[in-house]
Amino acid sequence: MICIVTQHFNLNRICLMLIGLWPYECSKLVRFQTFFCFTILISSVVYQLAVFISEDCTINLILKVFSIALLFFMYVIEYNSFRINRQIIKWSLDQLQHICDELKDEKEIDIMKKCGDDTRRYTILLILLDVINLIVIPLLPFLLYAYDVLLRINKYHISNVIHMLIPKHFLGRDNYIYLIILHSGSSIAIGGLILIATMTMCVAYIKHACGMFKIASYRIEKAIAINMLKNSSLENEFMMYREIIHAVDIHRKAMKFSQYMFSNFQGSHFWLLIVGVVCLSLNLYGISETMLTNDVEQFITHFVFISATFVYFFIANYIGQKVTNHNEHVFFTVYNIRWYLAPLHVQKLILFLLQNGSRTFCLSIGGIYSLSNELFAMLTKASISYFTVVYSMQQ
């Protein structure tokens, strides 16, 4: 028997509990965690936009402010969408547990266990990437200071490096530098954890949906294998009917599971794509500016933001493409089995499956775009195009 929460989603549960989004916990402490995380994220966006109150609103200032503020705004959207849809996440976990409880075949159980192993590997990899970022960025001032001491160039003093890490447009940069670092560091840490927790949860759901599609393919192959037995009988025909019905049933559940999960996030994911494209374009422009001025510290900041947005786009479209591929593999299996040797009534059932295969199944964003490799390429191309437009206008 498979226990989804403890065996497959244990790391995801820890990540979501740290930010107060685990759907099975709703205590006062969890509500405080939710309030604290949401307040930190909102205040980080408001603080960065507050510069327009005291400074003249120029195009250059707008580009600098929004290149950083939009990433934190993405954190706010992602966190709020998961906070609102807590019951959807809980329903999906319960539904997945119910599907796993119905599995009796050892190979089917092994398929779902492999999905759990893949889920843990993806989660560990993304957590390590986030931890590396959280370690490297705070250590940067000390690395530059060590570089200064070794070469005796008297350029990178600790206080100067810390001062340079804060963007120049931040309010109170000269007088409240340590308070700003504490607030900004908390926002980055919480935002990174939110991105990791939500992305890995989506990956985990999709990996298990793909496992259900694999089980559907396996059941279809198993049904036709029964027909290959020499002792063809009414009992074997009945077993074929049963396996095909079970295959259609789990295929329908896989489609319903993935569609229901992502249909409730369509609106937030649509805005995330728009904000992400603009954020990526502005940070590309920020990198071009820092390369001209040799501003190493701000170059690293923009590079980290670009990497985070790029990884988010890639993973979102990758899991969408995986769902489409596994669904198509089910019908590829139906096309390639020796279905024409099956009894006539079974052939009619298989032809019904072939007709359903003519319709492409995909996860949509806002009912307009479908998550796929093509969408990832389109978003990357759009970001670069907007960057070139901004760059040409500023020259």
Side-chain angles (χ1 to χ4, degrees), residues 13-279:
R13 178 177 63 87
I14 294 171
C15 292
L16 290 175
M17 287 181 68
L18 290 174
I19 54 177
L21 290 181
W22 183 243
Y24 293 97
E25 297 288 340
C26 196
S27 62
K28 292 182 179 180
L29 177 61
V30 171
R31 288 195 290 270
F32 174 76
Q33 283 178 290
T34 305
F35 174 78
F36 176 77
C37 292
F38 202 65
T39 302
I40 290 292
L41 294 175
I42 290 290
S43 62
S44 65
V45 176
V46 173
Y47 168 69
Q48 293 177 61
L49 298 180
V51 69
F52 294 115
I53 299 175
S54 59
E55 299 288 339
D56 294 332
C57 186
T58 62
I59 297 296
N60 192 38
L61 181 62
I62 291 174
L63 295 177
K64 288 182 178 179
V65 171
F66 280 96
S67 65
I68 300 176
L70 285 180
L71 182 66
F72 290 93
F73 189 56
M74 289 177 64
Y75 293 153
V76 173
I77 296 174
E78 185 78 350
Y79 188 79
N80 193 51
S81 65
F82 267 73
R83 183 182 63 84
I84 293 173
N85 293 296
R86 293 170 67 101
Q87 293 304 315
I88 304 300
I89 299 171
K90 183 179 179 181
W91 178 90
S92 300
L93 284 170
D94 292 340
Q95 188 70 15
L96 190 58
Q97 181 64 62
H98 179 69
I99 292 170
C100 290
D101 290 341
E102 292 178 344
L103 301 178
K104 304 300 179 184
D105 190 287
E106 287 296 327
K107 188 170 182 179
E108 295 176 0
I109 294 174
D110 289 340
I111 289 173
M112 295 305 286
K113 285 183 178 179
K114 186 177 184 303
C115 293
D117 294 337
D118 291 341
T119 295
R120 283 192 292 272
R121 280 195 290 268
Y122 281 115
T123 304
I124 291 171
L125 177 61
L126 290 173
I127 289 174
L128 287 176
L129 289 175
D130 187 51
V131 169
I132 290 172
N133 284 333
L134 292 177
I135 292 175
V136 169
I137 293 175
L139 284 179
L140 181 61
F142 301 99
L143 294 175
L144 292 174
Y145 179 68
Y147 173 79
D148 175 85
V149 171
L150 290 174
L151 298 184
R152 298 180 180 180
I153 57 178
N154 297 322
K155 179 182 177 182
Y156 294 112
H157 190 268
I158 282 289
S159 59
N160 293 335
V161 171
I162 293 176
H163 199 266
M164 286 187 291
L165 286 174
I166 305 299
K168 295 179 181 179
H169 63 267
F170 275 31
L171 291 176
R173 181 171 177 266
D174 297 323
N175 301 323
Y176 305 101
I177 185 169
Y178 294 106
L179 185 61
I180 293 172
I181 288 175
L182 177 62
H183 180 256
S184 300
S186 302
S187 302
I188 292 172
I190 293 172
L193 184 57
I194 288 169
L195 206 61
I196 296 301
T198 54
M199 278 198 304
T200 54
M201 199 67 180
C202 291
V203 170
Y205 280 131
I206 292 304
K207 289 299 296 183
H208 285 81
C210 292
M212 287 184 251
F213 285 123
K214 287 182 180 178
I215 291 173
S217 300
Y218 165 71
R219 288 179 178 178
I220 292 171
E221 292 175 343
K222 185 179 177 182
I224 299 303
I226 295 172
N227 188 61
M228 297 296 105
L229 299 175
K230 293 182 179 180
N231 55 338
S232 180
S233 63
L234 184 63
E235 182 181 356
N236 286 348
E237 188 173 338
F238 174 75
M239 291 174 63
M240 290 179 64
Y241 275 123
R242 186 177 62 185
E243 290 298 332
I244 291 176
I245 290 171
H246 287 171
V248 172
D249 179 59
I250 199 165
H251 180 260
R252 178 186 58 83
K253 287 179 179 178
M255 295 175 67
K256 180 182 177 182
F257 174 79
S258 51
Q259 274 185 328
Y260 184 78
M261 172 65 189
F262 277 84
S263 63
N264 290 277
F265 291 87
Q266 280 193 24
S268 59
H269 286 170
F270 178 73
W271 286 108
L272 276 172
L273 291 185
I274 295 176
V275 175
V277 167
V278 178
C279 179

Side-chain angles (χ1 to χ4, degrees), residues 348-361:
K348 290 180 179 179
L349 285 175
I350 294 175
L351 287 174
F352 176 74
L353 284 173
L354 293 174
Q355 288 178 347
N356 288 337
S358 62
R359 298 191 298 268
T360 303
F361 175 74

